[in-house]
Amino acid sequence: MSAPDSLARGVAPAPPGTLHARTVHGGVEVRPRAGLTVRFGRGEEPDVDVCVGEDDLWVSRKHGELTFRERRWWLRNTGRQLLRLPKGRLMHATTEAVPLAEGYTPVFVRGSSYREHLVELYVSGHDEERSPRRRAETLPPKRWSLDDDERLLLVVLGQRYLLYEEGPRPLSYRQAAEQLAYLRPGADWRERRIENRIEAVRKRLHAGGFPYPLTHDRRAGGPSDNLLHNLLRGLVDSTTLVPPDLDLLEDDGG
């Protein structure tokens, strides 16, 4: 189970204002042009340019659109269900369009049965065009090796981080065990096993030079309760875990 491709890891050099949009069903790269509109939803071409939630009837056939005007891409909700942006910002069909900032923006489409479908957006910036090194290969952040069980466990515990919620905190081990029992019945993900696997990951990544504290500081007079938060924050910051990993939270039956 390798880490999926994600726009969170950046894009190839492109003219400023180029819009990149991607879902699990595919994506587009569009150069900016006044009045140009890119649509996403459950429908098919030519009604939409990017398909999202094709098997979910809560997702509208035309659920959202991005229009280039005033030198920016503007996002608008055209569906019946809410769109959610980072930090919990919600967009209804009556909400005014909002401009996208340069760089990465994940958009979550509200679906059925607590499902949220991801539309990844990335707008190429002007700083890259001005830089004399704009054609140089991008230096990726250091990503950390995880096996399949570790990735699944960390996505469950850190789903609020991958949903770009404001002030996220990890799920408790009890909550994670309950969700894993549903996602992987028979895999025996008990709280004690979860705790042991997380401790093993923390020790391994700490020995490898992880940028945030992952071990108890005895000089501070006791254990820190932020070690799991530090682990998840560092894995998301480094794009070791990316929003498309949330697909692991879909049960095997879809």
Side-chain angles (χ1 to χ4, degrees):
M1 184 192 306
S2 60
D5 290 335
S6 171
L7 297 183
R9 298 192 172 111
V11 298
T18 298
L19 173 68
H20 311 259
R22 178 183 295 174
T23 71
V24 295
H25 305 297
V28 296
E29 178 181 320
V30 181
R31 303 289 177 90
R33 190 179 76 241
L36 182 63
T37 296
V38 175
R39 297 176 176 85
F40 59 86
R42 181 169 47 88
E44 299 177 326
E45 295 182 359
D47 293 330
V48 296
D49 304 283
V50 182
C51 178
V52 59
E54 66 174 1
D55 65 340
D56 193 333
L57 294 179
W58 280 38
V59 178
S60 297
R61 289 188 292 270
K62 298 179 182 179
H63 206 109
E65 64 181 28
L66 297 121
T67 301
F68 191 78
R69 57 182 172 85
E70 301 172 6
R71 303 179 66 180
R72 304 184 75 173
W73 287 98
W74 295 75
L75 171 66
R76 190 167 70 92
N77 185 352
T78 59
R80 294 187 176 182
Q81 298 295 331
L82 295 172
L83 296 180
R84 189 172 60 77
L85 278 64
K87 297 185 178 180
R89 182 175 185 177
L90 299 177
M91 292 189 69
H92 186 263
T94 60
T95 304
E96 292 187 4
V98 299
L100 291 184
E102 293 179 355
Y104 180 69
T105 302
V107 177
F108 299 92
V109 182
R110 182 72 56 84
S112 60
S113 301
Y114 302 102
R115 297 171 72 186
E116 288 193 307
H117 305 277
L118 173 65
V119 181
E120 293 190 291
L121 303 173
Y122 193 106
V123 178
S124 297
H126 289 76
D127 289 342
E128 181 180 351
E129 182 72 10
R130 288 194 293 265
S131 170
R133 305 175 70 182
R134 61 182 179 270
R135 297 187 183 276
E137 188 71 19
T138 300
L139 297 177
K142 178 176 175 57
R143 300 189 187 113
W144 305 89
S145 178
L146 301 173
D147 66 27
D148 290 354
D149 282 347
E150 290 169 347
R151 182 171 298 276
L152 172 63
L153 174 56
L154 287 160
V155 169
V156 169
L157 286 166
Q159 57 193 269
R160 293 167 180 159
Y161 297 76
L162 292 170
L163 288 168
Y164 280 65
E165 293 184 1
E166 187 169 14
R169 298 298 299 176
L171 264 64
S172 68
Y173 290 159
R174 178 185 59 79
Q175 291 171 316
E178 291 173 353
Q179 187 163 6
L180 286 163
Y182 171 74
L183 294 172
R184 302 292 188 271
D188 193 29
W189 279 107
R190 290 172 293 181
E191 292 181 50
R192 186 62 176 175
R193 183 187 175 199
I194 292 173
E195 182 178 2
N196 290 338
R197 289 302 297 267
I198 292 299
E199 183 176 3
V201 172
R202 286 197 293 103
K203 289 181 177 179
R204 186 179 80 240
L205 269 56
H206 171 75
F210 201 74
Y212 299 125
L214 293 181
T215 60
H216 301 309
D217 185 358
R218 292 182 175 85
R219 294 171 301 175
S224 167
D225 61 356
N226 285 323
L227 299 182
L228 181 53
H229 168 74
N230 290 346
L231 174 62
L232 293 168
R233 183 177 62 162
L235 292 173
V236 172
D237 286 352
S238 67
T239 67
T240 301
L241 297 180
V242 289
D245 282 317
L246 291 166
D247 287 342
L248 296 175
L249 303 186
E250 297 281 349
D251 65 90
D252 291 335

